[in-house]
Amino acid sequence: MPLVELRNVSKIYHLGGETIRALDDVSLDIDGGEFVSVIGPSGSGKSTLMHILGCLDSPTHGTIKLDERMIHDASPRELAFIRNRKIGFVFQFFNLLPKLTVLQNVELPMVYAGVSGRERRERSMRMLQMVDLDNRSKHRPSQLSGGQQQRVAIARALVNNPKILFADEPTGNLDSHTGEAILELFRELSTQGRTIILVTHDPEIAAVTPRRIEIRDGKVANNLDARLAGLDRQAGSAAAAPALG
Amino acid sequence: MILINTILIGLKEIWTHKFRSILTMLGIILGVASLVAMAAIVKGMENGMKEALIAMGGLDKVLIEQQKVPVHQNHLRDMAPGRTIRDVYALKESAPLLKVVSPEMALERALVARGPKAYRPSEVVGVWKAVLDMNLYELQHGRFFNELDEESANNVCVIGTGVRDELFGSPQEAGRDIVPLGQEIRINDQPFTIVGMFKHYESEMDRKKREEGLKDPSQQAVGPVRQRGWGGRGWNAFWRKNNMVYIPLNTMWVRFRAATGTNNVPDQTLTDIDVKVASLEMLEPALQQARNVLMVTHQGIEDFNFRTQENQIEDINKRIQNARLSGGIIAGLSLLVGGIGIMNIMLASINERIREIGICKAIGATGVSIFLQILIESVVISILGALLGLAASKGLVVLLSELSPTQNTPVIQTQVMLVAVGFSAAVGIVAGLFPAVKAARLNPIAALRYE
Ligand SMILES: Nc1ncnc2c1ncn2[C@@H]1O[C@H](COP(=O)(O)OP(=O)(O)OP(=O)(O)O)[C@@H](O)[C@H]1O
Ligand SMILES: [Mg+2]
């Protein structure tokens, strides 16, 4: 039973007289523990896909099942609950709250989950230790480097122990060296069994993940699984095979 | 826990925009300050008026006034007896609903003198002992008249402290208490011996002033002396009460009235008959009873009338209500303006924080928690403004009483302060409602994409 199941999902925007199909009849399965990259050119619909998978947005058509629960027609309240407990987000622009300290930022999802103050502190400090920033807990985000901010964002995303971690261009705003460190962190998390969905337009980054989903004009153009390529589990295009190498 | 967090975040938000927040709070600050200060001043006014009312004898006092005979009895006018001591005896005998009946016979153009010093007191009146209950006098020194004084029309008098101050000097000036018992004064050139002196009566405010003056020796000389005369606040119920000279009724009759009068008939009429009813609830039946008795003694000629303090109270209440209303309107308008200011600033604030709100939603904030966050911030601003307003009200009260020192001391009431804070909180809630709903409805994606 897959962790995420998308069936015929479309997201249609109407702008003036124009109809934009940001997602066009997408069907996908993602299992628990997978490390998946979603790749495609700018404007292809990667972020839209992530927002829908992440319960931030609802599709125009189609059904979504997340952790055995249909969510395409859930109420805003239920969606907030799922985002809080089952999903963690990491964004390109870090999206930390500037007025809160690092520690408070990491605590925030637990505040919404109603976790007691002491437990919040303990768990946040553990998360900050994991990303090696426990000595900066009292600092403001603006006092940290980009890479450090992104590590705080990852700590925040994981603090409620979610099933899935979404990352939209998490290295897009970092130099390549720092970006690599962040990717290394994701890889480590993946080996610990965390499901990670990484959105990027950079093939080099996508090459890191065992599975790649390629989006083009709102459609799934390629769906390659390095682990299962030989077993022909997915109808991957032959052209993509050499890229696995 | 979450509530405290939210309040702290709200406070932080206010602290980050100190100047803007103060400007926003200004309406609330003014509203609360004027509400509390107005209420304090009105309360002071009310206290002053009530004090004066009690100084004049209390609520249960009723004056029986002389009145022109009604038109239909015009032909009986010459037979109208006026108010005499017969009425007093009849009322005492036959009107059990009256607690006290006090006859008064005043001496017109009275001048009291001691040696070269002379002055006009508020009144020189011939009275019975009932006057003590009637006008709520208490003796501080000496005694009141006894039956012997009355019977033999002794030349004795009981004075208020004002008379003492005028003729013997005030203790403030002398620096020691002066008790002129046994001393002789002249009332319209007749010698009288002082046998008693009343307590000193003053308003709460004067008492405080005097006590402060005692602490501050430089101001010791002033005080009651300044209250002399007719102008300003000297001419009030307390001045009248302290500048009273009482002599036995019979003495008044024998020494001053019996020897005068038109056509060799001395004027027997009393200047006043004051009565007190046994209980205020029984006011109507008591007055009816008194009327019936007087109708008999006056042979049906209605040349008298009752004046109760109710009219006075009504007047006081009306003035207080007017003052309250105008104060309330000013405060209400300020609070309304304050509310609009808060709503404005909250709308601006959520516009600045669209992205933050989006982030909060992405990590699991529900619409309700965003709603509460904004609402609490709004209430925090309004309550903070209210607290500043309370502080400002103290200053405002001091300022106002500096500007017009003749007013009664304003009384700041805790009740009003609580109401003002509560009202401000309500204003904060109402003002925050719309911005809070707006923030809660923000689409997380739109909020996240917002730059
Ligand atoms: N709110 C919206 N209204 C109208 N069109 C939208 C909206 N959001 C996204 N789109 C359109 O949907 C398409 C997909 O956008 P999306 O942000 O998913 O692209 P992307 O693959 O993430 O691109 P990038 O790599 O530049 O981030 C784009 O053509 C975009 O213009
Ligand atoms: Mg994107």
Side-chain angles (χ1 to χ4, degrees):
Chain A
M1 174 116 330
L3 184 61
V4 184
E5 254 183 73
L6 257 70
R7 291 290 172 269
N8 311 102
V9 166
S10 299
K11 180 74 185 179
I12 299 168
Y13 292 108
H14 297 282
L15 267 189
E18 242 178 307
T19 306
I20 298 163
R21 294 181 167 269
L23 283 182
D24 192 0
D25 200 29
V26 173
S27 298
L28 271 180
D29 284 354
I30 294 167
D31 287 328
E34 278 199 85
F35 189 11
V36 185
S37 59
V38 176
I39 187 171
S42 183
S44 55
K46 308 179 295 290
S47 293
T48 307
L49 177 65
M50 190 195 93
H51 291 153
I52 286 178
L53 286 173
C55 296
L56 283 167
D57 209 351
S58 39
T60 318
H61 302 294
T63 59
I64 306 160
K65 203 184 210 178
L66 193 141
D67 197 18
E68 302 182 28
R69 187 166 170 349
M70 302 302 266
I71 56 156
H72 52 277
D73 55 357
S75 72
R77 202 188 162 73
E78 289 169 303
L79 290 179
F81 180 84
I82 294 168
R83 286 199 296 272
N84 188 225
R85 309 295 166 87
K86 304 203 169 165
I87 292 168
F89 285 106
V90 177
F91 299 95
Q92 179 177 358
F93 298 104
F94 322 134
N95 280 349
L96 299 173
L97 295 181
K99 281 167 211 146
L100 302 184
T101 62
V102 164
L103 183 68
Q104 286 168 329
N105 262 291
V106 178
E107 281 185 15
L108 201 54
M110 290 187 287
V111 171
Y112 293 127
V115 177
S116 77
R118 178 191 243 188
E119 192 185 339
R120 283 207 309 258
R121 189 126 321 152
E122 282 172 11
R123 270 162 63 179
S124 305
M125 285 314 287
R126 232 180 296 140
M127 279 299 145
L128 284 173
Q129 254 163 28
M130 180 197 81
V131 296
D132 211 10
L133 278 173
D134 45 332
N135 54 339
R136 309 298 293 269
S137 65
K138 296 238 157 54
H139 290 217
R140 307 266 151 187
S142 57
Q143 294 165 323
L144 302 184
S145 75
Q148 288 168 330
Q149 287 187 53
Q150 197 60 300
R151 270 146 62 199
V152 174
I154 291 168
R156 182 179 69 182
L158 293 176
V159 80
N160 265 348
N161 197 18
K163 295 226 149 135
I164 311 175
L165 182 64
F166 288 100
D168 193 352
E169 310 269 11
T171 59
N173 249 18
L174 302 173
D175 62 67
S176 60
H177 181 71
T178 321
E180 233 145 70
I182 294 290
L183 279 181
E184 186 51 43
L185 188 53
F186 278 124
R187 218 173 1 224
E188 213 178 297
L189 290 169
S190 171
T191 56
Q192 289 162 14
R194 187 88 54 183
T195 315
I196 300 173
I197 297 173
L198 181 78
V199 172
T200 179
H201 60 264
D202 183 349
E204 261 181 58
I205 293 170
V208 169
T209 66
R211 181 173 169 200
R212 284 185 296 163
I213 298 170
E214 204 175 322
I215 306 271
R216 221 172 275 274
D217 294 331
K219 292 190 208 297
V220 179
N222 264 319
N223 197 343
L224 306 176
D225 197 326
R227 295 169 303 171
L228 301 169
L231 301 174
D232 199 25
R233 173 189 175 233
Q234 273 285 349
S237 85
L244 292 172
Chain B
M1 196 58 227
I2 291 173
L3 186 73
I4 293 171
N5 253 356
T6 322
I7 291 174
L8 286 180
I9 291 173
L11 284 174
K12 209 175 276 174
E13 200 66 37
I14 290 166
W15 189 245
T16 345
H17 307 282
K18 284 178 274 297
F19 190 62
R20 187 172 93 175
S21 304
I22 288 281
L23 284 181
T24 307
M25 289 175 202
L26 214 53
I28 298 284
I29 293 174
L30 283 178
V32 167
S34 56
L35 187 72
V36 172
M38 284 292 190
I41 284 164
V42 171
K43 184 71 183 169
M45 226 166 88
E46 192 180 340
N47 283 353
M49 290 188 210
K50 291 216 169 122
E51 268 182 350
L53 204 65
I54 285 169
M56 287 184 301
L59 301 180
D60 47 357
K61 180 174 169 182
V62 179
L63 276 63
I64 301 175
E65 291 181 320
Q66 187 89 28
Q67 187 192 243
K68 271 200 202 160
V69 294
V71 183
H72 67 274
Q73 291 183 334
N74 236 345
H75 56 290
L76 298 170
R77 197 172 44 199
D78 292 343
M79 289 163 66
R83 297 157 305 165
T84 63
I85 201 72
R86 282 188 61 217
D87 297 332
V88 176
Y89 285 120
L91 286 172
K92 273 177 82 83
E93 193 72 18
S94 315
L97 287 176
L98 300 183
K99 185 170 62 175
V100 189
V101 183
S102 168
E104 290 190 8
M105 190 179 270
L107 179 60
E108 283 180 28
R109 289 188 299 280
L111 191 72
V112 295
R114 173 175 175 259
K117 280 189 192 166
Y119 102 110
R120 291 198 187 280
S122 61
E123 273 183 296
V124 174
V125 196
V127 292
W128 285 354
K129 199 166 185 171
V131 80
L132 295 180
D133 284 336
M134 181 56 62
N135 290 341
L136 304 176
Y137 269 114
E138 268 180 57
L139 274 170
Q140 176 98 47
H141 300 285
R143 62 175 179 90
F144 204 70
F145 321 126
N146 52 31
E147 265 144 52
L148 199 65
D149 294 321
E150 175 71 22
E151 199 88 346
S152 43
N154 285 341
N155 279 12
V156 290
C157 65
V158 174
I159 61 170
T161 54
V163 180
R164 184 263 325 262
D165 292 348
E166 289 293 340
L167 298 182
F168 298 90
S170 72
Q172 271 87 356
E173 278 168 338
R176 64 187 162 82
D177 204 10
I178 297 174
V179 185
L181 290 186
Q183 303 267 9
E184 192 164 277
I185 59 172
R186 276 168 293 119
I187 301 175
N188 284 9
D189 278 332
Q190 303 237 24
F192 277 78
T193 305
I194 300 171
V195 296
M197 188 168 75
F198 295 121
K199 268 169 56 176
H200 180 65
Y201 292 94
E202 61 193 341
S203 66
E204 189 69 11
M205 184 180 68
D206 285 341
R207 190 178 60 77
K208 276 188 198 143
K209 284 236 167 97
R210 188 167 51 83
E211 279 167 5
E212 271 164 28
L214 282 182
K215 274 181 232 145
D216 178 6
S218 67
Q219 293 192 353
Q220 223 172 45
V222 285
V225 182
R226 214 169 43 180
Q227 291 180 30
R228 199 178 340 181
W230 295 67
R233 70 172 201 233
W235 184 240
N236 64 22
F238 293 100
W239 184 86
R240 289 176 58 123
K241 194 159 185 164
N242 287 328
N243 285 271
M244 181 66 74
V245 179
Y246 282 143
I247 63 177
L249 183 65
N250 202 24
T251 310
M252 177 64 81
W253 168 246
V254 171
R255 301 283 170 223
F256 297 106
R257 283 286 179 90
T260 62
T262 45
N263 304 332
N264 288 331
V265 181
D267 181 8
Q268 295 194 5
T269 58
L270 295 168
T271 323
D272 271 312
I273 299 175
D274 298 341
V275 298
K276 268 195 175 169
V277 295
S279 81
L280 271 178
E281 290 92 72
M282 298 291 282
L283 184 65
E284 283 304 316
L287 292 188
Q288 190 56 49
Q289 201 172 52
R291 171 177 300 272
N292 293 344
V293 172
L294 291 180
M295 279 309 235
V296 173
T297 55
H298 288 225
Q299 283 135 10
I301 302 174
E302 213 179 335
D303 62 344
F304 57 87
N305 186 25
F306 299 99
R307 200 174 70 195
T308 63
Q309 303 283 33
E310 271 188 344
N311 316 342
Q312 199 101 17
I313 295 167
E314 249 166 50
D315 187 51
I316 290 176
N317 283 345
K318 192 163 244 166
R319 282 168 65 182
I320 286 168
Q321 230 139 46
N322 283 345
R324 277 213 184 112
L325 189 68
S326 44
I329 287 174
I330 293 173
L333 281 178
S334 303
L335 287 176
L336 182 73
V337 171
I340 293 171
I342 290 181
M343 186 186 293
N344 189 26
I345 219 68
M346 290 318 294
L347 285 174
S349 162
I350 63 167
N351 257 346
E352 283 167 13
R353 287 149 67 194
I354 283 183
R355 212 182 149 72
E356 279 179 41
I357 293 167
I359 296 166
C360 289
K361 286 200 155 183
I363 62 177
T366 55
V368 173
S369 54
I370 301 284
F371 175 87
L372 283 180
Q373 159 106 45
I374 300 296
L375 201 64
I376 286 171
E377 263 185 55
S378 170
V379 173
V380 165
I381 290 184
S382 67
I383 288 185
L384 215 60
L387 295 181
L388 288 177
L390 289 186
S393 72
K394 295 235 154 126
L396 195 62
V397 162
V398 170
L399 185 77
L400 286 178
S401 37
E402 284 294 318
L403 287 179
S404 63
T406 56
Q407 289 285 330
N408 294 93
T409 324
V411 184
I412 294 184
Q413 297 153 274
T414 327
Q415 241 170 311
V416 176
M417 287 167 53
L418 290 178
V419 166
V421 173
F423 208 76
S424 306
V427 165
I429 289 173
V430 171
L433 226 44
F434 174 59
V437 168
K438 213 179 146 187
R441 290 233 179 109
L442 272 179
N443 177 351
I445 307 280
L448 277 174
R449 279 184 194 274
Y450 186 90
E451 281 298 328

